[in-house]
Amino acid sequence: MKILLYNPDNGVTRNFMPHLWMFLLQALTPPGHDVLLVDGNAQPMDEAGIARFVRVNNIGLVGIGAMTRMIAKAYRMADAVRATGVPVVMGGPHVTELADEALGRDGGARHADAVALGEADETWPQIVNDAVRGELKDLYAPVDAAGKERKPSLKQYPVIPWQSIDLDQFNLVPKAAYPLLKKVGEGWGTFRIIPVESGRGCPYGCEFCTVTGFFGDSIRFRTNPSVVNELLLLKARAREEKGQMAVFFIDDNFAINLKRTKSLLRDIIAAKAQVHWVAQISANLLRDEELVDLIAASGGKWVFIGMESIDPTNLKDVNKGFNKPGEYAAVLERLARRNVYAITSFIFGMDNDTVGVAERTLAQVRTWPSGLPIFGLLTPLPATPLYKRLQTAGRLTRPKHWQEFIPFAMAHTPLKMTIQEAHAEVKYGWAHAYSPEALAQAVDSLDDQALGYRVNIFLARLCFRGIYFPMMGKIAWLKVVAQNRQTIFKLVREAFLGRRAQSTNSSVQDAYEDVAAPDVPSEVKI
Ligand code: B12
Ligand code: SF4
């Protein structure tokens, strides 16, 4: 049977990275089937397009996965597929929480023939076998023989064949540039960011988060060799295609078990499996100097930190009191001393927020080492404790906000400001953190560093807002380039004069590599 796994675009931005679930389920499909992957962020498709794809490719089963914000599109695409007579199975966090909605048991239309609840690692092979026999059930739940919920162990993690998977749709370098860029340094003909998980679960239970409910509070890890081998596969592929491969460790809290994380990082270093990587780690776990040393030595470049707020009252309100705003600066400085930088995530519209929260937050951010601040609104995702609290308090203004997804729009009333004021705060945050002045300041703050680091922070800031904001067309990009011309000119001039490159003996590529693998012989660096 031919199976299509499809992830819809979110209608606003294009993700920089493919979704792991597709590769994982592809690897877990019983032998004898052909699995095709389409990520709507990389290959935009509409209803007519998916129906055509299904017919032309003679697809026998379509699997669709989606976060809450893409679910309306997911349902529309599922409807289009089902209209061709091909069954649809849906999975992921949203339909796990609201299976009745997907199955049309809540009074609405039915969108899916079957729903995979929770983690589908163990149920997927059964779903495929049932689909072959034409005997799909409505619901598939990961349970043991006694019918008790069972979270899959990650000890027998499948090998994802990264060396042979078609990754054409996930190259961040335009194809036309390949012949030229493959010759730059050790090769920049392709640049891919690949999701890798080393563990699942987070016990912290922040009020707005789906993770603790979905993956459970018991943490499960893959074995170190399994992760290390995956990195080695990715490195080998990058070398072969004369490109670069970076990894996003998508674990919700990569250092949740410090001892395990350190042992994994040591094994990565010992196996010379370093790639440039990003991971999510909560600020409280970054107090550990040895951990931060190992992060830098194993290729860690960026750490995503859910700071959420600089106001302890807000943090307490959302059950995230373990975040201590007073230590944010020290944490970021500890990272920056190793040339590791942070993506710092903030939420506005929290109950103790008042007008001016964006500027107050930015005033703090400006005193910290350069990074990538991001701003969002408090969003009641289905089945989270936040959703239940706001529902009970009668504060939900759009209780089914996902059915008509509006980006950057609140679905409840904040306590100390209006919805419109909260929207304005988020706009202010983005506009001022990514203004030409802010970009210039970020670059200047790294004046004592090699040119590569400054180019890096500049490009990262320039591109980063594209993940959260509508992708810009050519004209918009030209405008951004024009607005930032002084900083660009400064960096280009330095590159040409080679002032810093000579004084520090470091080019852009060198700076990038030095941080990835300071203690490793150069032939193993990527
Ligand atoms: C990586 C990640 C991202 C990446 C993008 C996604 C990507 N390309 O991988 C980035 C960093 C860009 C991102 C951004 C956002 N994210 Co995010 N992200 C994650 C994260 C950390 C990992 C996803 C992952 O790969 N998990 C591992 C895989 C194996 O798990 P899985 O996807 O759930 O798949 C399993 C099952 O769900 C099931 N399954 C999934 N799909 C399907 C389909 C079928 C057919 C079947 C049978 C089974 C199945 O089987 C899989 C194996 O068991 C999750 C948290 C988490 N741990 O999952 C949050 C998460 C998915 N993100 C979330 C959110 C809210 C966001 C943002 C909206 C945040 C924001 N405010 O901006 C943005 C939106 C991005 C966008 N542009 O649309 C929420 C979604 C909650 C919800 N109800 O939708 C999560 C759960 C985190 C949370 N705090 O609650 N995210
Ligand atoms: S620490 Fe992160 S992953 Fe864990 S519950 Fe809180 S927000 Fe979710």
Side-chain angles (χ1 to χ4, degrees):
M1 183 170 63
K2 272 188 158 181
I3 302 170
L4 167 65
L5 297 181
Y6 170 76
N7 201 104
D9 60 280
N10 62 50
V12 183
T13 62
R14 290 178 63 185
N15 278 346
F16 55 96
M17 176 175 80
H19 291 268
L20 179 59
W21 72 265
M22 304 171 109
F23 299 102
L24 193 56
L25 295 194
Q26 186 181 39
L28 289 166
T29 303
H33 303 286
D34 194 3
V35 184
L36 312 183
L37 311 183
V38 172
D39 185 325
N41 291 297
Q43 276 188 65
M45 217 178 242
D46 60 11
E47 290 89 323
I50 198 166
R52 201 166 38 247
F53 187 97
V54 164
R55 274 195 303 267
V56 170
N57 291 289
N58 198 19
I59 301 287
L61 174 69
V62 175
I64 302 183
M67 294 184 208
T68 293
R69 71 189 241 146
M70 295 112 163
I71 205 68
K73 169 89 187 243
Y75 288 155
R76 289 199 301 277
M77 297 300 264
D79 296 346
V81 171
R82 294 180 80 232
T84 69
V86 173
V88 170
V89 51
M90 296 188 78
H94 184 86
V95 295
T96 294
E97 308 302 355
L98 298 177
D100 284 353
E101 181 182 87
L103 292 170
R105 291 171 172 178
D106 66 345
R110 180 169 186 151
H111 307 288
D113 294 275
V115 167
L117 298 173
E119 296 170 62
D121 310 51
E122 290 171 0
T123 48
W124 176 243
Q126 191 199 336
I127 294 172
V128 172
N129 292 337
D130 286 358
V132 170
R133 288 196 306 273
E135 291 174 7
L136 273 177
K137 298 183 195 53
D138 282 2
L139 288 172
Y140 289 85
V143 287
D144 62 19
K148 200 167 158 274
E149 190 190 11
R150 183 173 65 190
K151 299 283 179 199
S153 155
L154 299 186
K155 292 290 176 218
Q156 307 295 327
Y157 201 79
V159 175
I160 301 181
W162 292 115
Q163 74 283 6
S164 55
I165 291 180
D166 178 358
L167 290 174
D168 270 2
Q169 58 181 317
F170 305 115
N171 183 10
L172 299 178
V173 176
K175 247 191 185 151
Y178 180 76
L180 184 69
L181 290 180
K182 73 175 183 183
K183 296 185 186 138
V184 173
E186 287 170 5
W188 280 87
T190 56
F191 179 53
R192 310 182 197 282
I193 303 181
I194 298 297
V196 171
E197 62 181 335
S198 85
R200 285 188 199 161
C202 177
Y204 288 169
C206 302
E207 195 194 29
F208 51 79
C209 180
T210 308
V211 168
T212 307
F214 186 87
F215 289 100
D217 52 9
S218 73
I219 327 265
R220 290 149 289 146
F221 298 116
R222 287 170 68 182
T223 63
N224 288 359
S226 147
V227 179
V228 169
N229 288 340
E230 189 162 352
L231 299 185
L232 289 171
L233 269 187
L234 290 167
K235 275 187 84 157
R237 171 143 189 186
R239 242 191 332 263
E240 199 179 293
E241 61 187 22
K242 298 204 179 330
Q244 302 289 322
M245 202 71 89
V247 159
F248 191 134
F249 282 114
I250 55 87
D251 307 35
D252 290 296
N253 210 334
F254 185 58
I256 191 71
N257 178 330
L258 276 174
K259 199 167 151 218
R260 194 284 320 198
T261 307
K262 287 181 185 176
S263 112
L264 174 62
L265 298 181
R266 281 193 201 102
D267 283 1
I268 289 173
I269 297 166
K272 299 178 171 123
Q274 287 105 325
V275 291
H276 301 142
W277 59 261
V278 185
Q280 313 182 94
I281 304 179
S282 55
N284 56 322
L285 300 170
L286 290 163
R287 292 173 191 142
D288 191 304
E289 296 280 345
E290 189 189 24
L291 173 73
V292 184
D293 279 340
L294 287 166
I295 288 175
S298 61
K301 294 280 165 204
W302 292 93
V303 177
F304 184 110
I305 305 178
M307 291 185 163
E308 327 304 5
S309 178
I310 54 166
D311 175 354
T313 307
N314 272 333
L315 291 165
K316 213 162 144 264
D317 281 350
V318 294
N319 200 30
K320 200 154 184 170
F322 59 87
N323 261 10
K324 306 288 176 211
E327 70 173 356
Y328 288 169
V331 162
L332 297 178
E333 276 153 18
R334 189 169 301 122
L335 290 169
R337 277 198 293 279
R338 279 93 167 169
N339 279 306
V340 179
Y341 297 95
I343 302 163
T344 49
S345 168
F346 298 97
I347 299 175
F348 295 150
M350 292 173 116
D351 281 357
N352 205 38
D353 277 346
T354 53
V355 171
V357 59
E359 181 47 39
R360 287 193 295 279
T361 307
L362 281 172
Q364 295 262 300
V365 169
R366 290 186 199 107
T367 67
W368 298 339
S370 273
L372 298 174
I374 61 178
F375 311 94
L377 287 159
L378 189 63
T379 306
L381 292 168
T384 55
L386 173 70
Y387 191 95
K388 290 169 200 155
R389 171 165 72 87
L390 295 173
Q391 189 175 38
T392 308
R395 288 174 59 196
L396 293 174
T397 50
R398 295 186 294 132
K400 296 205 170 177
H401 54 91
W402 50 90
Q403 291 184 346
E404 271 177 77
F405 171 67
I406 312 172
F408 293 103
M410 291 198 77
H412 74 278
T413 330
L415 277 186
K416 298 186 177 173
M417 62 208 301
T418 64
I419 288 180
Q420 283 67 32
E421 283 167 345
H423 293 176
E425 293 296 330
V426 167
K427 267 198 192 137
Y428 184 101
W430 281 102
H432 287 77
Y434 291 81
S435 66
E437 296 73 31
L439 263 65
Q441 196 218 348
V443 169
D444 288 348
S445 71
L446 294 180
D447 221 26
D448 55 338
Q449 297 293 334
L451 175 64
Y453 294 116
R454 281 173 297 134
V455 172
N456 236 333
I457 193 90
F458 180 68
L459 290 180
R461 280 242 184 154
L462 215 54
C463 298
F464 201 68
R465 41 168 293 150
I467 298 169
Y468 292 87
F469 272 87
M471 293 308 282
M472 297 190 293
K474 284 192 185 113
I475 303 284
W477 268 113
L478 283 175
K479 212 171 137 194
V480 170
V481 168
Q483 284 167 343
N484 288 282
R485 62 188 177 280
Q486 281 181 338
T487 308
I488 294 172
F489 181 68
K490 192 172 155 186
L491 291 170
V492 170
R493 197 185 51 186
E494 257 181 52
F496 272 108
L497 292 178
R499 182 168 60 82
R500 271 164 204 282
Q502 278 159 18
S503 67
T504 60
N505 197 20
S506 182
S507 66
V508 172
Q509 171 93 14
D510 291 340
Y512 206 51
E513 287 174 354
D514 287 347
V515 193
D519 303 322
V520 183
S522 60
E523 68 271 17
V524 299
K525 295 176 187 169
I526 63 166

